[in-house]
Amino acid sequence: MRRKTVFIISAALYLLFSVSPFTVTEEKPSGPAFDGDRQPGKEKPYNVLLIVLDSCRADHLGYNGYQRNTSPNIDKLAKESIVFDQAIAQGNYTLPSFGSFLTSKYPPSLPTSNDRATLKYQINETVITLPQALKIYGYRTAAFPTGPYMAPTFGFSQGFDIYTNFPFDVYKTQQIVKTENLRFSMKEYFPTVLEYLDAHKNDKFFMLVHSNDMHMPYDYPPEYCNIFAGDYQGALSKIPIDGGLTNAMKKGGIIEVDKLRKNFPDLPLDFIPPDTKEIQLTKTDVDYAVARYDAGIFYADLCVGKIVNKLEEFGLMQKTILIIIADHGRTIYETHGGKTNRGGWGGETLYVTHTLYDELVKVPLIIKHPKINGRRISHQVQLVDLMPTVLGFAGIKPPAETQGINLEPLISGNNTVDLPERYAYAEAGQTERCIRTSEWKLILKDNEYEMYNLRDDPGETKNLWDENNPPAKDLKAKLEEYSKSNTQPSGKK
């Protein structure tokens, strides 16, 4: 019954917001001026394959020292790639983050409607997206996302020749595919990804592949559910791990049973005694929650490994720049030092995405370039830098209105003096924003501030806000400057 409900909601979203799934641009688009001429001597025939691991925490990947073997294929790739240790997403959930890195604009400066509660979010068609810019210069463009937040209505299809919003099969039939076992998993469209690579192995392409397997409701194949969970038989093994569960939780790891019954009216909850009002999660329960999340990473990593194998089989590894990112991370059961922990908005609740702590905004960024040796870079960068960097690899000058920077000088190891570390920004809607350096982070939520020393306190447990502190004064001024202009403030860190 739960699967049918999910399908009905998703199908309704698609039909309600349905627009043409493809935006094919044959000429330079109207709107903002696009000075996209080739830079002399920089024509590069590389394909670009961007893999987005939705909700993937950087600190749960093996190459970052995580204790579980969640990502053997990504770890192997990381050894041969440029790895950014401090990459910051501009949004803490899918819509603003995707909008930002596909346009190189900070979320407030995108001409969009952005109402998370009603999903009224759409990139204005006058904004030039990364696939649009590449398409103008001869790239075939295809995207393989899944889930209702990736419906074409949100504008993410702009510039893609092919945009398949699985479980909606628009690649072949442009019709909604209704299956009894509907899943928002990479498994559903993975064969299509491999078919596309085979069909276009002799073309120059930009391809976006999106994994939703780390995102609730953890729809990866069921045989992977317990690879890290052991023989756990507790309450969370009997309740779907999705919004119905998290909405029934309050701070302190407590599930409110009346809310749980309301959220799952068709689910037998006979394992809960009739008079029980609350269920207190134990450490074993939390460990299981973490294990289920990690299993999603493991499954997505298997798919990444298969994609790499196909690139090698088709002779594409030396012709392709492979990039792996996450749009945001995931808070699982962390406790932090500020008032953003109040109620159900984080801190001792499960799987929230409503805060700006590092487990949500510090994301993986891995770039495998055929001609650049692998190394790790500690310099703080942002996902808003992705578009100008990819266009730089292609020898294309980015649109004038982009707000990120080309990271090529940093990646090549040259001219680092001319590429100072910039402030990084992220937001959680209109009421919560943060500014970050490699050492400090300032969060503003509902007119209250939190400040953390990230070097001494990477878990962000000790709120050091003091408006008389010199770092606090500087960060507050820069955040105010950003809030007024929605652009990078003057000066460097």
Side-chain angles (χ1 to χ4, degrees), residues 232-251:
Y232 172 84
Q233 298 294 322
L236 296 185
S237 67
K238 302 174 178 66
I239 304 169
I241 298 179
D242 64 10
L245 170 62
T246 59
N247 290 338
M249 291 194 66
K250 62 182 181 180
K251 186 176 178 181

Side-chain angles (χ1 to χ4, degrees), residues 320-383:
T320 303
I321 298 169
L322 176 59
I323 303 171
I324 298 176
I325 66 170
D327 56 342
H328 58 82
R330 175 68 64 185
T331 293
I332 301 178
Y333 198 75
E334 281 74 17
T335 300
H336 296 288
K339 292 186 177 180
T340 52
N341 276 355
R342 290 180 296 195
W345 294 101
E348 301 179 5
T349 62
L350 286 175
Y351 303 124
V352 298
T353 57
H354 306 88
T355 68
L356 290 171
Y357 300 114
D358 266 10
E359 67 267 13
L360 271 162
V361 298
K362 185 179 177 182
V363 295
L365 172 54
I366 300 169
I367 300 177
K368 175 71 170 70
H369 191 294
K371 299 296 184 183
I372 300 176
N373 293 329
R375 65 191 180 95
R376 299 189 74 136
I377 296 176
S378 59
H379 196 99
Q380 177 175 268
V381 298
Q382 305 175 83
L383 292 191

Side-chain angles (χ1 to χ4, degrees), residues 462-482:
K462 299 176 183 177
N463 183 1
L464 301 178
W465 168 247
D466 179 352
E467 61 182 344
N468 296 314
N469 229 349
K473 285 183 177 180
D474 174 65
L475 290 176
K476 181 182 178 184
K478 294 301 182 184
L479 186 58
E480 289 174 350
E481 184 178 343
Y482 167 73

Side-chain angles (χ1 to χ4, degrees), residues 131-152:
Q132 278 179 310
L134 290 170
K135 181 175 174 57
I136 289 167
Y137 288 94
Y139 282 77
R140 291 183 178 273
T141 57
F144 301 90
T146 184
Y149 277 105
M150 297 303 297

